[in-house]
């Protein structure tokens, strides 16, 4: 039986996302033959549809843009992916390193570097243990610190004081 290794990206086609680097990485991966890179962009998709698509991916992608904003934000897609128990590859930014640890609960690549992104996709495809460990550790981080009630609890406490 033949299986495709599925990579999923969703988001707007803006510089922050670095979609051009994802597309170039996908071109570099064409010779692999068994890697599918799916990009869900500007056409509207419901949140429910997205929540049905994420579980079908082997790996989800974060952001790869070489912008000031990319250095300052962790996009919702990263939280959504780890909440679903999926491993994530994202650009190595200041913001992402505030919460995540490379090779522990995320796999980081150089921003604006499609060759490095393609290499990291191949690495996760070929190393099932790394892929599973990243997914498990990221989901544990989500459960421990990032669930909505945990994120707002300090704010509610502060407002109640």
């Amino acid at each position: 039986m033949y299986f495709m290794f599925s990579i999923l990206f969703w988001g707007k086609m803006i510089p922050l996302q670095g979609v051009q680097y994802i597309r170039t990485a996908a071109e570099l991966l064409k010779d692999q033959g068994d890697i599918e890179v799916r990009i869900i962009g500007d056409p509207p998709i419901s949140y429910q549809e997205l929540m049905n698509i994420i579980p079908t991916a082997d790996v989800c992608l974060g952001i790869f843009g070489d912008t000031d904003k990319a250095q300052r934000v962790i996009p919702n897609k990263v939280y959504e992916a780890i909440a679903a128990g999926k491993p994530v590859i994202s650009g190595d930014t200041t913001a992402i390193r505030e919460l995540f640890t490379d090779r522990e609960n995320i796999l980081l690549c150089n921003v604006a570097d499609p060759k490095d992104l393609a290499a990291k996709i191949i690495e996760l495809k070929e190393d099932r243990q790394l892929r599973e460990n990243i997914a498990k550790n990221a989901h544990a981080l989500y459960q421990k610190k990032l669930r909505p009630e945990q994120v707002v609890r300090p704010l509610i406490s502060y407002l109640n004081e």
Side-chain angles (χ1 to χ4, degrees):
M1 190 177 272
Y2 183 73
F3 292 100
M4 292 295 282
F5 189 73
S6 176
I7 309 300
L8 177 64
F9 169 85
W10 63 97
K12 299 282 186 194
M13 304 299 150
I14 59 175
L16 164 81
Q17 309 284 4
V19 176
Q20 69 272 32
Y21 307 114
I22 298 168
R23 287 190 173 128
T24 302
E27 286 294 318
L28 295 171
L29 294 167
K30 279 194 173 177
D31 290 344
Q32 293 286 314
D34 61 349
I35 297 175
E36 170 190 57
V37 178
R38 184 170 183 191
I39 297 174
I40 300 173
D42 288 332
I45 181 172
S46 75
Y47 194 71
Q48 186 57 49
E49 285 176 280
L50 181 60
M51 293 303 104
N52 291 331
I53 294 169
I54 292 172
T56 68
D58 293 299
V59 173
C60 295
L61 299 179
I63 57 174
F64 304 94
D66 188 14
T67 67
D68 289 340
K69 185 175 180 181
Q71 289 294 322
R72 295 188 313 267
V73 301
I74 300 174
N76 287 340
K77 72 177 96 277
V78 171
Y79 298 114
E80 293 160 350
I82 70 171
K86 293 297 173 180
V88 174
I89 300 172
S90 195
D92 189 354
T93 66
T94 304
I96 213 92
R97 284 197 176 264
E98 286 182 15
L99 186 59
F100 292 92
T101 303
D102 188 28
R103 299 186 172 276
E104 180 180 313
N105 48 28
I106 199 164
L107 188 58
L108 299 177
C109 72
N110 300 326
V111 296
D113 187 342
K115 288 182 183 175
D116 193 38
L117 174 56
K120 297 297 168 63
I121 289 170
I122 291 170
E123 181 177 2
L124 282 189
K125 175 184 163 254
E126 294 177 351
D127 191 339
R128 181 184 189 116
Q129 190 63 56
L130 178 62
R131 190 169 71 242
E132 289 175 355
N133 286 344
I134 287 172
K136 177 182 62 113
N137 293 336
H139 188 69
L141 173 67
Y142 174 81
Q143 291 294 331
K144 184 177 180 184
K145 293 184 177 179
L146 302 173
R147 292 177 26 184
E149 60 271 15
Q150 294 158 323
V151 172
V152 298
R153 188 176 297 131
L155 176 60
I156 292 170
S157 295
Y158 173 77
L159 293 174
N160 285 334
E161 291 175 8

